[in-house]
Amino acid sequence: MRLIDLKSHYHFYNFARVKTGIFSFDQRIRAFAALGEAMRSGAEGVTAGYAERFAALIETLHLTNPWFTSENVRLALASTGNALTEENLRIWLSSYPELHEERQPVTVGVVMAGNIPMVGFHDLLCVLITGNRLLAKLSTKDELLMKAVTETLTEIEPRFKPFVELTSDKLKGFEMVIATGSNNTSRYFEYYFRTIPSIIRRNRNSIAILDGTETPRELELLGGDIFSYFGLGCRNVSKLYLPRGYDASGLLQHWTRHESLRSHYKYSVNYDHNKAVMIVNREPFTDGGFVLLKEAASPTPPMAVLHYGFYNEGEAPENGPGLSDKMLQCVTGHGRLPFGKSQQPELWDYADNIDTVSFVLKKNSIR
């Protein structure tokens, strides 16, 4: 079922004859800045104006998706809202002077993931801020929040209405596509979208590299990088690289504020299951009461498990065996992404380091 009315549907497919000049770059900037303000206010609990819709969802989304707790939805709204200021938007887009030129819009299909709240928002932003049309297939896990985003945006700026279509069906009638999924679904995407310009995203992991000089505050912030959104995001740190001789168990004292994860029944089931498996298999691990620390080579541990490994002085673990640019999303540590920032990306921090704005402007095929 298509999620727009017939009038909007008619305008959507007939907009190709209209140049983007009637809907200016500055107007799009101001609309997204107002959306950011609504998100920030909603995250702060404001229940009036455009913020009311977001404030309500903070308290209710866990009823349809247990992973979308109030804390996680609030974090996503605050992080995105803080990035969406007019100043940030103009700084980010100043690198693309062609945005000020009149162009015919193209229809960009976007297949969105739903592992964490609003994970597909940046793709939506890149398509619409460039004056192109969005044809989005929403994840059922994040459907309500993303609908709230588009509804709020089109209320703030009604000229966006013919540029937005949400669907639960297969995407049809698009000229380029951005699709995010697992390693398995990415192979399907590569085949299905093989004849058009595309960005296909796969599973990625993030790591943290400690050098032993971290302050208690930095280690607390590292806990946020690891445990926010239950560790379900590709920007969540899933493996630690520690200097040889480092006591991994000593980190647990800095992460006590995350002990409440144990009370979430879905997380708790994963914790108990993985603990039982390691006990049965006689695998060594450290039980932190809410997370299991295990020395392992893989950067992809199961939920409620954090892997770690050791490196020697002078080594760069991110360049080691088993890791590559295609596997890593973020690398946190001194001289790298600051602790506490992995789940607070800037507008110019592109997923998989692929410039999405350049892609939708130039129709380049990126594999």
Side-chain angles (χ1 to χ4, degrees):
M1 177 180 177
R2 295 297 170 94
L3 304 174
I4 59 171
D5 58 48
L6 292 177
K7 183 177 180 181
S8 295
H9 189 273
Y10 174 84
H11 286 303
F12 181 88
Y13 284 106
N14 286 274
F15 202 82
R17 297 191 297 270
V18 183
K19 292 185 177 181
T20 59
I22 67 167
F23 187 14
S24 74
F25 172 73
D26 285 338
Q27 290 165 336
R28 298 195 296 271
I29 289 277
R30 288 193 289 269
F32 272 102
L35 176 64
E37 182 179 359
M39 289 179 176
R40 292 192 300 274
S41 297
E44 293 169 358
V46 175
T47 56
Y50 295 124
E52 182 178 8
R53 181 181 284 124
F54 295 122
L57 286 173
I58 287 172
E59 303 303 327
T60 58
L61 274 181
H62 69 278
L63 299 174
T64 54
N65 183 346
W67 297 113
F68 284 20
T69 62
S70 296
E71 180 181 4
N72 284 342
V73 177
R74 185 178 294 108
L75 175 61
L77 286 167
S79 177
T80 303
N82 288 334
L84 281 181
T85 65
E86 184 167 345
E87 180 182 11
N88 282 347
L89 286 162
R90 292 191 183 279
I91 291 172
W92 169 42
L93 298 171
S94 63
S95 299
Y96 310 94
E98 59 268 47
L99 285 173
H100 297 277
E101 302 170 0
E102 288 192 0
R103 293 171 299 101
Q104 294 287 355
V106 298
T107 301
V108 183
V110 178
V111 181
M112 295 187 178
N115 49 315
I116 66 174
M118 293 200 306
V119 68
F121 176 81
H122 196 266
D123 289 335
L124 174 151
L125 170 63
C126 290
V127 172
L128 294 179
I129 203 71
T130 54
N132 292 302
R133 297 189 300 263
L134 174 75
L135 173 59
K137 179 175 175 60
L138 303 182
S139 167
T140 56
K141 298 177 181 179
D142 196 19
E143 189 175 17
L144 295 178
L145 189 52
M146 290 307 299
K147 284 181 180 178
V149 168
T150 56
E151 289 169 4
T152 304
L153 179 64
T154 54
E155 288 175 10
I156 291 171
E157 178 49 85
R159 277 172 288 196
F160 268 122
K161 286 184 178 180
F163 287 85
V164 177
E165 182 179 12
L166 310 180
T167 181
S168 57
D169 299 327
K170 286 186 177 180
L171 298 181
K172 296 179 181 179
F174 50 91
E175 299 159 75
M176 352 173 38
V177 68
I178 303 169
T180 303
S182 67
N183 289 341
N184 287 331
T185 57
S186 69
R187 288 191 283 270
Y188 164 78
F189 290 150
E190 286 178 336
Y191 176 80
Y192 188 73
F193 301 128
R194 65 192 182 280
T195 61
I196 62 171
S198 61
I199 294 175
I200 308 298
R201 301 205 184 99
R202 302 163 180 80
N203 290 343
R204 288 207 174 212
N205 296 102
S206 296
I207 63 174
I209 301 174
L210 279 62
D211 60 21
T213 67
E214 290 77 18
T215 66
R217 177 56 180 161
E218 286 177 320
L219 296 177
E220 289 175 13
L221 292 171
L222 172 60
D225 293 331
I226 298 167
F227 299 111
S228 61
Y229 307 119
F230 297 99
L232 289 169
C234 63
R235 297 182 65 91
N236 283 107
V237 168
S238 57
K239 182 172 181 179
L240 306 179
Y241 286 87
L242 310 172
R244 194 161 300 281
Y246 195 103
D247 179 14
S249 64
L251 293 166
L252 294 168
Q253 63 181 310
H254 301 286
W255 300 338
T256 54
R257 74 181 185 91
H258 301 286
E259 290 176 346
S260 59
L261 291 175
R262 189 72 168 86
S263 63
H264 188 276
Y265 75 97
K266 279 184 168 289
Y267 182 90
S268 183
V269 166
N270 281 271
Y271 170 89
D272 290 336
H273 170 77
N274 289 312
K275 180 178 177 179
V277 168
M278 285 189 277
I279 291 173
V280 169
N281 292 337
R282 297 185 179 181
E283 300 174 31
F285 67 93
T286 299
D287 187 353
F290 67 99
V291 64
L292 306 168
L293 303 181
K294 179 183 176 182
E295 184 177 357
S298 171
T300 312
M303 178 173 285
V305 179
L306 177 64
H307 284 175
Y308 65 91
F310 296 102
Y311 69 94
N312 296 316
E313 186 177 356
E315 292 180 344
E318 64 266 53
N319 298 325
L323 296 178
S324 69
D325 290 341
K326 292 184 178 180
M327 293 178 60
L328 293 178
Q329 191 69 262
C330 301
V331 180
T332 299
H334 290 158
R336 301 170 175 88
L337 185 67
F339 295 107
K341 292 294 185 180
S342 72
Q343 286 295 348
Q344 298 181 41
E346 300 288 355
L347 297 175
W348 43 87
D349 291 332
Y350 294 106
D352 296 6
N353 296 315
I354 296 174
D355 187 330
T356 318
V357 170
S358 291
F359 170 75
V360 299
L361 286 177
K362 298 177 182 177
K363 298 182 67 172
N364 289 333
S365 179
I366 302 176
R367 296 289 183 181

